[in-house]
Amino acid sequence: MKTMMQRSRVTFSSGVAIGLATWLMASPAFAHHPLDGKLPSNFFEGFMSGMGHPVIGLDHLAFVIAVGLVAVNRAWGWLVPVGFVAASMVGTGIHLQAVDLPLPEVMISLSVVIVGALVAWGRKVNLWVLGAIAIAAGVFHGYAYGESVVGAEMTPLVAYLLGFGLIQAAIALGARTVAQMISTPQPESIAQKVRYIGFTITGFGAAFLASAVLG
């Protein structure tokens, strides 16, 4: 009976996530343009745009949270989100160099599904494998971030990189730290709840992936 209830909770949370993500994607301007598509022209605008992009873009936010949770209770786990943040800056640079990456929206959505599924799985994955996934995903997420600053001058561009780097690190490392802190007194109970979050994130990713593939 208990197992059936747990499965029902997972199914429900995943269904809610898919429905919510589908609804949110009906407004792409909300999802991807902190300044309503305006090119940042100064340090403040660049910084605020960088801070907003990973938070307003629900696919990006879901991944940033997941990349923190997947590294919980690992001695060197903090390297996984740090690697992702560094790679996202590289991805932005790739976009600014006018280099095209294949199917960026599909790859971003797929990364959310993969990392969400790893969180839901609840087992420790080799840290090198996690790092490789985080870095590969970071390049594509950063590539998408770059769209907002194509043509920007150096000052707002540097501020933009600083903004999205700081907010992503804060969210990912914060999620990891909080999960580790609250899991100390009751590890099994918290681990199960983290897995539920993983299922929810996977649901978000699946909805975004379907939208990216089907157009």
Side-chain angles (χ1 to χ4, degrees):
M1 183 66 179
K2 186 176 180 181
T3 301
M4 291 180 63
M5 290 180 63
Q6 290 175 339
R7 290 177 179 174
S8 296
R9 289 174 185 171
V10 171
T11 302
F12 175 76
S13 62
S14 298
V16 170
I18 291 172
L20 182 59
T22 303
W23 177 74
L24 287 169
M25 285 186 295
S27 179
F30 173 80
H32 291 287
H33 297 289
L35 298 179
D36 294 326
K38 176 186 174 183
L39 187 69
S41 59
N42 54 53
F43 185 92
F44 178 77
E45 289 184 354
F47 185 76
M48 295 307 297
S49 180
M51 291 280 285
H53 200 125
V55 178
I56 295 176
L58 271 296
D59 46 355
H60 301 303
L61 179 59
F63 185 90
V64 174
I65 294 172
V67 84
L69 294 178
V70 80
V72 169
N73 295 325
R74 304 293 293 270
W76 294 90
W78 58 272
L79 287 172
V80 176
V82 168
F84 165 74
V85 172
S88 67
M89 293 184 175
V90 173
T92 298
I94 290 173
H95 196 137
L96 295 177
Q97 293 298 316
V99 177
D100 292 329
L101 292 183
L103 303 173
E105 292 300 327
V106 172
M107 297 302 293
I108 289 169
S109 301
L110 185 60
S111 73
V112 178
V113 173
I114 291 172
V115 179
L118 290 176
V119 175
W121 191 29
R123 298 182 182 182
K124 288 187 176 181
V125 179
N126 183 280
L127 200 60
W128 289 102
V129 174
L130 291 180
I133 293 172
I135 290 171
V139 171
F140 281 93
H141 282 259
Y143 182 85
Y145 297 156
E147 182 65 25
S148 296
V149 286
V150 173
E153 296 182 0
M154 184 59 66
T155 297
L157 175 58
V158 171
Y160 183 78
L161 292 172
L162 180 62
F164 82 66
L166 287 176
I167 193 65
Q168 288 183 123
I171 294 172
L173 294 174
R176 177 177 179 268
T177 301
V178 170
Q180 289 188 165
M181 289 175 61
I182 63 178
S183 67
T184 302
Q186 42 183 336
E188 293 185 3
S189 174
I190 297 302
Q192 190 64 33
K193 291 177 181 178
V194 170
R195 291 186 66 194
Y196 289 155
I197 295 173
F199 279 110
T200 303
I201 291 173
T202 305
F204 271 108
F208 284 116
L209 181 59
S211 177
V213 171
L214 299 177

